Amino acid sequence: MTRIAFIGLGNMGGGMAARQVVGGRDVHAFDLSEAAVKKVVAAGAHPAGSIAKAVETADAVITMLPAGPHVRKVYDEHILPHAPKSALLIDCSTIDVDSARAVATQATAAGFRFADAPVSGGTAAADAGTLAFMVGCNEPHFADVEEALKPMSRVVIRAGDHGAGQAAKICNNMLLAISMIGTCEAFALAEKLGLAPDRFADIASKSSGNCWSLSTYAPWPGVGPVTASDRNYEGGFAAAMMLKDLKLAQEAAARAGASTPLGNNAEAIYQLFDRLGFGGKDFSGVLQMLRGNLDGLGR
Ligand code: NAD
């Protein structure tokens, strides 16, 4: 049985580790939070007690941690010194491209195979095993990465070499933020012009303005499929998480000399939304701020 070490069992990692159990893998799990470990143990994983214990005989090590500094530290201090060289190392966290490349260089120099494999899809997709993975790894290692991710995935795409998975993730999320804000602005203007929101959505989704934020994840409650907007913007993809990804995109753009004025504006808009106290709301809730209807969001 394939033995998986799973480190980071939060909102995403908890569901992902449970999918590995469902996929027939022998999962050894660790998190700093005992409550998070307990949940995954109830789903059939073994509690490891430490990262060193989790990885010591692993075939594959999967990490799902908050940000770059956590990933650098966990790899440097715990995974690389204790995992067998045969273990395939996969980081699924969303982190900055530089950290992903630095960890890849360190892991490769120590004789490991490494992949950055951030995900698209929120906690529902993590629980259902239907995440989309974008992978940065050496081409010959991709088949093994795909196999390791199988129980958690709907689709696994190789974006390129180390760091390319993270690059794809932040570009995708910058595009998503811009298209969501654009959709919200269009709804807010339609309302001011006396156009019913559902009529506008019906027309635009069959016209050239159509996009995912409009037809699949409409920010206006009661329009389109049921989304976080129908639950007062609870659950879904937190605005604070989107802000984190937009900051990563802006940092990467500054380093690479790329011009991203709309990405820059999107970051400022989500920054304001977060400062107003709505970072925990779904990112589509920015509609209510743009409508001047913060009361509609509750607290
Ligand atoms: P989370 O905060 O719920 O979980 C992170 C977990 O890592 C926590 O349980 C924490 O205790 C654990 N952790 C931190 N440092 C650790 C250490 N040194 N050793 C062991 N465990 C440690 O976050 P999340 O929502 O699960 O997100 C995880 C990653 O996935 C982030 O990079 C996030 O950007 C990305 N992501 C999240 C979503 C989402 O919808 N939540 C969607 C796509 C990608």
Side-chain angles (χ1 to χ4, degrees), residues 215-236:
S215 54
T216 305
Y217 208 85
W220 198 288
V223 168
V226 173
T227 67
S229 69
D230 300 303
R231 300 185 297 270
N232 192 26
Y233 306 98
E234 295 295 340

Side-chain angles (χ1 to χ4, degrees), residues 101-230:
R101 291 199 174 129
V103 171
T105 302
Q106 201 183 348
T108 306
F112 290 97
R113 294 167 297 153
F114 174 84
D116 49 290
V119 306
S120 177
T123 51
D127 292 345
T130 56
L131 292 164
F133 287 84
M134 29 209 122
V135 179
C137 69
N138 291 340
E139 215 283 325
H141 303 156
F142 180 64
D144 285 347
V145 174
E146 199 175 14
E147 182 58 29
L149 299 177
K150 210 175 196 172
M152 310 183 291
S153 62
R154 173 174 53 82
V155 60
V156 182
I157 301 171
R158 182 172 175 270
D161 294 333
H162 294 135
Q166 297 295 349
K169 168 74 184 175
I170 58 175
C171 291
N172 178 76
N173 277 24
M174 183 180 79
L175 177 57
L176 173 61
I178 292 168
S179 75
M180 177 55 80
I181 292 168
T183 301
C184 292
E185 283 189 3
F187 268 115
L189 176 61
E191 179 186 31
K192 292 268 187 243
L193 298 176
L195 187 57
D198 58 335
R199 296 309 302 151
F200 164 65
D202 190 28
I203 292 163
S205 64
K206 295 184 178 95
S207 306
S208 48
N210 189 29
C211 63
W212 185 88
S213 298
L214 175 69
S215 54
T216 305
Y217 208 85
W220 198 288
V223 168
V226 173
T227 67
S229 69
D230 300 303

Side-chain angles (χ1 to χ4, degrees), residues 7-14 30-33 36 51 64-67 70 73-74 78 92-95 119-123 169 236-238 241 244-245:
I7 318 299
L9 310 167
N11 292 328
M12 294 294 289
F30 180 78
D31 194 291
L32 296 175
S33 151
I51 297 177
M64 193 57 166
L65 296 163
H70 305 83
K73 190 172 157 66
V74 162
H78 304 286
C92 297
S93 328
T94 301
I95 66 172
V119 306
S120 177
T123 51
K169 168 74 184 175
F237 182 42
M241 285 283 190
K244 174 195 151 189
D245 294 353

